[in-house]
């Protein structure tokens, strides 16, 4: 009996028509597509994107060259050299390079930093068009920090109650 | 002399352009529509960028293809390599000569129109075989062989389906086949009702013959990359593309002509109104109806593509030989009986 009904089912294309009913229903559903350059998916304030170095409000860079970030980085993406600063003898970095190809955006560097210097911003739309641009140096990182300081500070304040 | 010139040169060229130019535009818009519909069924948007709502996307693609380099594979047979796409595309355009759009709108009202249609349409597969063989690639050869076997088996089923239509209509002339579906009972006069299984088989076999999903063994992107045209690029590839889509549109038109009453109105014989001429076609029939019907049939191609996974090769062969052909032959006898005992009315007079 089952075989007979199965035979007629396949002969009358029942299953196929049912499948087509599903697809035609989906045809009229609202679409998920995000028109990317014009529209953006809302991002969490904890989003871990491009790295940046921050400054204090008086313009002094925060980093004290403790190299905690360098040693915690699981991808060995950070390279730091340090020396006493000529003007006042404070310990500062002379070189702070991050290889963005190595970086896995884990955020450990930000967690380990005692002075909230290295941070992960919410920027995720960036590109390199030349070989070697993936290694960003101290000046570039500070510039990113300067440019997006407002956003960075805002994200940190939002997250503060949960930390 | 001027008369000869007109009839031998100007008119034929005008006819050819009148068919081919709208056909190419239709193919381009059909590609766009396909991408849109499949996008919608995947809960995406489909092309939106070029032109209003992305309508010019297909033209952008065509021009991109035309400007690309044509790469001849090493050790490929140059002559056959270029001949393949031509053999594929010429029949796909030539069959339109006998396709009637309205009772008088047909390039050639040939008496053996159906025969011409079957004959020319089956040449197209040679293009595929030659292309697959000449490109000197294993994938292409595999695709060509699959395609050949598939098209040949499904052409049999298509042929039997058409014979059923011929028995009922009693003519090989396509215009007369449509006229045989005229009558007073609206769309119940059309052949889809007495020939319902045959109609289904004809359309599915048409999908298989055009190598469309779920019967696209010849292309089979996930197993043999792109099948017979894997080595083609640029304009030869565009020709294959054109041939495939022109054939899809053709199958849609043929289903509309043979089973859905061509240009006849679905309310023929039911509605008689005295209305201005421009709206008369709604009940007296006109080429708009055949366009609507063909559009609906071609939508099925896209619907199938978005719904069904690809058949396995042996399943395709089993479906063609063990299911379609027996049913079609059985219905051959049924339609013979229908004709002999006058169970269906054929034409206005009958
Ligand atoms: S985010 Fe992780 S991987 Fe990237 S630099 Fe910081 S610690 Fe290293
Ligand atoms: S960024 Fe922070 S953790 Fe890294 S060296 Fe500077 S102060 Fe130390």
């Amino acid at each position: 009996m089952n075989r007979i009904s199965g035979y007629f089912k396949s002969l009358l294309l029942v299953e196929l028509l049912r499948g087509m009913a599903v697809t035609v229903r989906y045809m009229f559903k609202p679409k998920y597509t995000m028109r990317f350059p014009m529209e953006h998916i809302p991002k969490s304030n904890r989003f871990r994107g491009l790295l940046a170095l921050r400054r204090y409000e008086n313009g002094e860079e925060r980093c004290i060259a403790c190299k905690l970030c360098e040693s915690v980085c699981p991808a060995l993406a950070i390279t730091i050299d340090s020396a006493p600063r000529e003007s006042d003898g404070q310990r500062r970095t002379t070189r702070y390079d991050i290889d963005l190809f190595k970086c896995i955006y884990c955020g450990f560097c930000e967690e380990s930093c005692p002075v909230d210097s290295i941070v992960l911003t919410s920027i995720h739309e960036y590109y390199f068009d030349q070989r070697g641009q993936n290694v960003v140096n101290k000046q570039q990182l500070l510039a990113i920090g300067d440019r997006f300081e407002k956003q960075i500070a805002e994200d940190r304040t939002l997250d503060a109650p949960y930390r | 002399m001027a008369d000869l010139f007109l009839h031998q040169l100007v008119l034929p060229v005008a006819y050819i352009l009148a068919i081919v130019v709208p056909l190419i535009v239709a193919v381009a818009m059909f590609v766009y529509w396909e991408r849109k519909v499949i996008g919608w069924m995947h809960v995406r948007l489909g092309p939106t960028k070029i032109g209003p709502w992305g309508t010019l996307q297909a033209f952008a693609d065509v021009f991109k293809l035309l400007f690309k380099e044509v790469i001849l594979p090493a050790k490929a047979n140059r002559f056959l390599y270029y001949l393949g796409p031509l053999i594929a595309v010429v029949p796909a355009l030539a069959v339109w000569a006998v396709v009637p759009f309205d009772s008088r709108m047909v390039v050639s009202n040939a008496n053996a129109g159906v025969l011409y249609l079957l004959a020319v349409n089956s040449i197209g597969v040679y293009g595929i075989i030659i292309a697959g063989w000449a490109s000197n690639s294993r994938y292409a050869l595999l695709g060509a062989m699959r395609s050949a076997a598939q098209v040949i088996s499904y052409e049999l089923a298509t042929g039997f389906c058409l014979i059923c239509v011929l028995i009922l209509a009693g003519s090989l002339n396509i215009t007369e086949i449509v006229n045989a579906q005229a009558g007073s009972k609206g769309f119940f006069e059309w052949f889809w009702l007495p020939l319902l299984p045959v109609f289904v088989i004809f359309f599915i076999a048409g999908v298989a013959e055009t190598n469309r999903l779920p019967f696209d063994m010849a292309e089979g992107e996930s197993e043999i990359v792109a099948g017979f045209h894997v080595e083609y690029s640029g304009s030869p590839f565009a020709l294959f593309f054109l041939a495939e889509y022109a054939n899809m549109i053709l199958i849609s038109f043929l289903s509309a002509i043979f089973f859905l009453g061509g240009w006849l109105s679905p309310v023929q014989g039911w509605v008689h109104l005295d209305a201005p001429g421009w709206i008369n076609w709604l009940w007296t029939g006109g080429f708009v109806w055949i366009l609507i019907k063909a559009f609906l049939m071609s939508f099925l191609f896209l619907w199938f593509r978005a719904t069904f996974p690809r058949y396995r090769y042996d399943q395709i062969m089993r479906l063609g030989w063990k299911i379609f052909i027996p049913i079609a032959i059985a219905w051959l006898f049924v339609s013979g009986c229908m004709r002999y005992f006058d169970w269906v009315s054929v034409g206005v007079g009958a």
Side-chain angles (χ1 to χ4, degrees):
Chain A
M1 199 60 217
N2 236 345
R3 267 189 65 190
I4 298 174
S5 76
Y7 180 75
F8 277 102
K9 252 189 192 164
S10 68
L11 198 64
L12 297 176
L13 312 173
V14 175
E15 243 99 82
L16 299 186
L17 291 177
R18 218 176 273 164
M20 288 168 72
V22 170
T23 40
V24 85
R25 252 202 323 278
Y26 270 86
M27 185 170 158
F28 296 106
K29 284 202 174 173
K31 307 294 177 271
Y32 295 127
T33 306
M34 193 59 71
R35 295 166 195 236
F36 165 61
M38 287 88 82
E39 295 176 353
H40 293 267
I41 298 172
K43 260 183 289 191
S44 159
N45 59 314
R46 293 180 185 179
F47 189 90
R48 301 197 300 262
L50 186 59
L51 293 136
L53 283 172
R54 292 176 73 192
R55 294 178 196 273
Y56 289 113
E57 266 155 39
N58 60 8
E60 173 69 289
E61 59 181 285
R62 286 181 184 238
C63 181
I64 50 173
C66 71
K67 301 194 182 176
L68 280 177
C69 52
E70 185 183 26
S71 56
V72 80
C73 178
L76 305 182
I78 306 181
T79 316
I80 299 176
D81 287 340
S82 63
R85 188 156 61 187
E86 278 183 8
S87 54
D88 53 2
Q90 278 188 10
R91 195 178 127 101
R92 293 290 165 186
T93 55
T94 53
R95 172 181 179 208
Y96 193 111
D97 289 349
I98 297 183
D99 187 339
L100 291 179
F101 282 178
K102 288 186 186 168
C103 176
I104 56 172
Y105 304 94
C106 62
F108 284 3
C109 47
E110 176 172 352
E111 297 296 331
S112 68
C113 184
V115 292
D116 289 346
S117 171
I118 181 82
V119 286
L120 285 89
T121 67
S122 55
I123 306 159
H124 75 290
E125 294 149 9
Y126 55 89
Y127 66 96
F128 318 110
D129 55 7
Q130 302 264 285
R131 199 174 278 254
Q133 281 182 350
N134 53 310
V135 180
V136 289
N137 58 28
K138 186 177 169 184
Q139 278 71 38
Q140 288 167 312
L141 287 165
L142 280 170
I144 299 168
D146 291 343
R147 189 161 152 212
F148 296 101
E149 174 60 31
K150 203 166 145 251
Q151 177 75 42
I152 295 169
E154 216 167 81
D155 288 348
R156 299 295 168 294
T157 348
L158 277 175
D159 205 26
Y162 306 100
R163 295 183 66 94
Chain B
M1 183 62 205
D3 215 35
L4 194 73
F5 181 69
L6 181 73
H7 281 106
Q8 297 298 316
L9 198 67
V10 177
L11 273 184
V13 170
Y15 279 142
I16 290 172
L17 288 183
I19 292 284
V20 169
V21 171
L23 183 65
I24 288 176
V25 173
V27 165
M29 293 322 284
F30 189 44
V31 174
Y32 160 74
W33 178 236
E34 166 172 41
R35 291 178 61 179
K36 265 304 204 203
V37 166
I38 289 177
W40 289 335
M41 288 183 173
H42 294 166
V43 207
R44 299 183 281 115
L45 282 177
T48 55
K49 288 281 186 292
I50 300 171
W53 302 288
T55 36
L56 300 181
Q57 178 70 43
F59 295 100
D61 290 347
V62 167
F63 285 114
K64 183 199 76 177
L65 276 178
L66 291 185
F67 287 124
K68 285 216 168 176
E69 184 188 355
V70 180
I71 300 166
L72 185 75
K75 292 199 189 146
N77 185 322
R78 171 184 288 266
F79 175 68
L80 290 179
Y81 182 81
Y82 292 125
L83 190 67
L86 287 181
I87 295 187
V89 81
V90 167
L93 301 178
V95 276
W96 289 91
V98 292
V99 174
F101 297 93
D102 203 340
S103 47
R104 331 213 55 197
M105 236 164 130
V106 51
V107 173
S108 153
N109 194 6
N111 269 331
V114 177
L115 217 54
Y116 170 85
L117 201 109
L118 283 175
V120 175
N121 207 13
S122 57
I123 297 176
V125 69
Y126 286 99
I128 291 178
I129 297 173
I130 289 177
W133 184 65
S135 5
N136 189 31
S137 151
R138 287 173 187 80
Y139 288 131
L141 191 61
L142 274 176
M145 281 178 357
R146 286 178 176 193
S147 160
Q150 179 183 329
V151 172
I152 287 170
S153 9
Y154 278 86
E155 218 152 58
L156 280 176
T158 321
F160 278 118
C161 295
L162 287 186
I163 293 176
C164 295
V165 174
L166 299 184
I167 289 178
L168 283 197
S171 169
L172 275 169
N173 182 317
I174 299 183
T175 308
E176 269 170 37
I177 290 178
V178 176
N179 282 334
Q181 304 179 50
S184 54
K185 292 200 287 292
F187 60 89
F188 292 119
E189 291 277 354
W190 301 344
F191 286 159
W192 66 268
L193 191 61
L195 299 178
L196 188 57
V198 172
F199 174 39
V200 176
I201 289 176
F202 178 82
F203 190 72
I204 297 179
V207 176
E209 250 186 85
T210 45
N211 292 323
R212 291 295 299 179
L213 279 139
F215 304 102
D216 66 335
M217 301 302 303
E219 292 175 29
E221 283 92 346
S222 47
E223 29 196 288
I224 51 173
V225 199
F228 64 91
H229 59 52
V230 66
E231 301 290 351
Y232 282 85
S233 58
S235 37
F237 175 74
L239 285 188
F240 275 125
F241 211 72
L242 176 68
E244 180 176 340
Y245 279 79
N247 274 330
M248 280 163 75
I249 299 178
L250 177 77
I251 296 290
S252 314
F253 266 91
L254 292 188
S255 318
I257 287 169
F258 289 133
F259 298 97
L260 298 178
W263 60 84
L264 300 173
S265 156
V267 292
Q268 51 170 342
W270 287 344
V271 182
H272 301 282
L273 292 178
D274 246 356
W278 58 269
I279 199 152
N280 252 341
W281 60 268
L282 270 175
W283 48 89
T284 56
F287 74 98
V288 184
W289 277 119
I290 195 171
L291 295 187
I292 293 174
K293 289 166 191 169
F295 176 77
L296 293 180
M297 294 313 288
S298 64
F299 179 77
L300 282 178
F301 275 97
L302 315 181
W303 198 353
F304 289 168
R305 177 172 170 191
T307 309
F308 302 134
R310 183 178 305 129
Y311 270 97
R312 221 168 51 214
Y313 189 65
D314 61 314
Q315 289 171 329
I316 290 188
M317 284 301 152
R318 198 179 64 101
L319 185 70
W321 288 96
K322 288 190 172 169
I323 299 174
F324 280 3
I325 293 182
I327 294 181
I329 292 180
W331 219 259
L332 204 61
F333 288 106
V334 175
S335 50
C337 292
M338 282 196 269
R339 179 74 173 156
Y340 188 76
F341 297 112
D342 264 339
W343 290 340
V344 285
S345 69
V346 172
V348 193

